[in-house]
Amino acid sequence: MIRIISILVGLFFTVALVWSFGNGALIAISEPAPETAEHVFHKHPKEVHFASDGAFGKFDRQQLQRGFQVYKEVCSACHSLNHVAFRDLAALGYSEAEVKAIAKGFQVPGNDPVTGEAALRPGMPTDYFPKPFANDIAARAANNNAVPPDLSLMTKARHDGGPYVYSLLTGYQNQPAELLKEFPDAKTPPGLYYNPYFPNLNLAMAPPLTGEGQVSYSDGTKATVDQMSKDVSAFLIWTAEPKLEKRKQTGWPVLGFLLFATVLGYMSYKNIWAEKKKKA
């Protein structure tokens, strides 16, 4: 009797689940959700090429250094790099002395050697990049109630990674008239900025790259907004996956070995079973 009741209860829930799914699908087909401004005016990232793209791609060290310079002089005022240590910058082509000089230019949390109290001290190569704000409350107070995200893994955390960051930095613009005409209630609120490459179209971050020459590149490259955006995007691709080149270099020999092992295994199989097939 208990078994019959259990079967009936299970059957009831199965029928209810199928009915709910079918009813939901019918409603979705017959009464589609109204389009929103985000759905209509949100844009996919622009097409942009980075030296690290593709199966044989490698980082452009010169570009990575320029991108780090943009981060240091512009982005570091609001965004942290929690997972990057100063000594990691040696991978960009900086010498040991240059890494020490860069680290010394940042103030990191430490202790007073005399009193033992918390205090700031010049950074060392073993230190990680410091946070620009003491806590989230201070970050919100300085950024229109928004906490700037850490950029260490940003190009891994966002779909299309580098192109997304590049598009966001170069995508600030005035709201198009057709948007306001079609969605009058979608006007960008005060304190926010319209950017069609951001999922909800409006973000609290003001345009960080505002004009040519905002950064003076030591290699003489012209620092246009487009160039600076591309360089810092390339740098963030590196921070998110600093071992990318090594992974690609390792991947090809591994694929070659697997291919060789597959052929060898097939030939061994044919050789071992050849005589037995003849006897059969």
Side-chain angles (χ1 to χ4, degrees), residues 67-81 106 130 132-133 143 148-149 151 165 169 205 208-209 214-215 228-229 231-233 235-236:
F68 168 64
Q69 187 177 349
V70 175
Y71 167 78
K72 183 178 69 171
E73 297 185 18
V74 181
C75 309
S76 63
C78 298
H79 295 277
S80 57
L81 281 180
F106 286 82
F133 302 102
N143 294 278
L151 296 181
V165 174
L169 292 174
M205 181 176 70
L209 302 176
Q214 188 173 349
V215 171
M228 290 186 290
S229 300
D231 292 341
V232 76
S233 298
F235 172 69
L236 294 180

Side-chain angles (χ1 to χ4, degrees), residues 12-35:
F12 169 77
F13 281 108
T14 301
V15 172
L17 181 63
V18 172
W19 180 84
S20 299
F21 177 79
N23 187 56
L26 180 62
I27 292 175
I29 295 173
S30 59
E31 300 177 18
E35 289 186 329

Side-chain angles (χ1 to χ4, degrees), residues 265-280:
Y266 177 76
M267 293 174 66
S268 299
Y269 161 78
K270 296 290 288 185
N271 184 57
I272 292 171
W273 291 96
E275 293 298 324
K276 293 187 178 182
K277 285 186 177 181
K278 289 180 179 179
K279 292 178 181 180

Side-chain angles (χ1 to χ4, degrees), residues 44-103:
H44 293 290
K46 304 174 183 177
E47 290 189 12
V48 57
H49 173 72
F50 294 99
S52 57
D53 291 345
F56 299 97
K58 294 184 178 181
F59 288 120
D60 179 347
R61 265 43 183 195
Q62 202 77 19
Q63 183 178 46
L64 295 185
Q65 290 190 15
R66 293 197 302 267
F68 168 64
Q69 187 177 349
V70 175
Y71 167 78
K72 183 178 69 171
E73 297 185 18
V74 181
C75 309
S76 63
C78 298
H79 295 277
S80 57
L81 281 180
N82 293 337
H83 300 288
V84 181
F86 293 113
R87 61 185 175 188
D88 295 333
L89 297 177
L92 306 189
Y94 291 110
S95 66
E96 183 178 348
E98 289 173 324
V99 170
K100 288 182 178 179
I102 291 171

Side-chain angles (χ1 to χ4, degrees), residues 54 156 241 243-253:
K156 283 293 184 183
E241 194 172 3
K243 302 298 183 183
L244 180 142
E245 287 180 337
K246 187 66 176 177
R247 176 173 62 80
K248 292 180 179 180
Q249 290 171 1
T250 304
W252 286 111

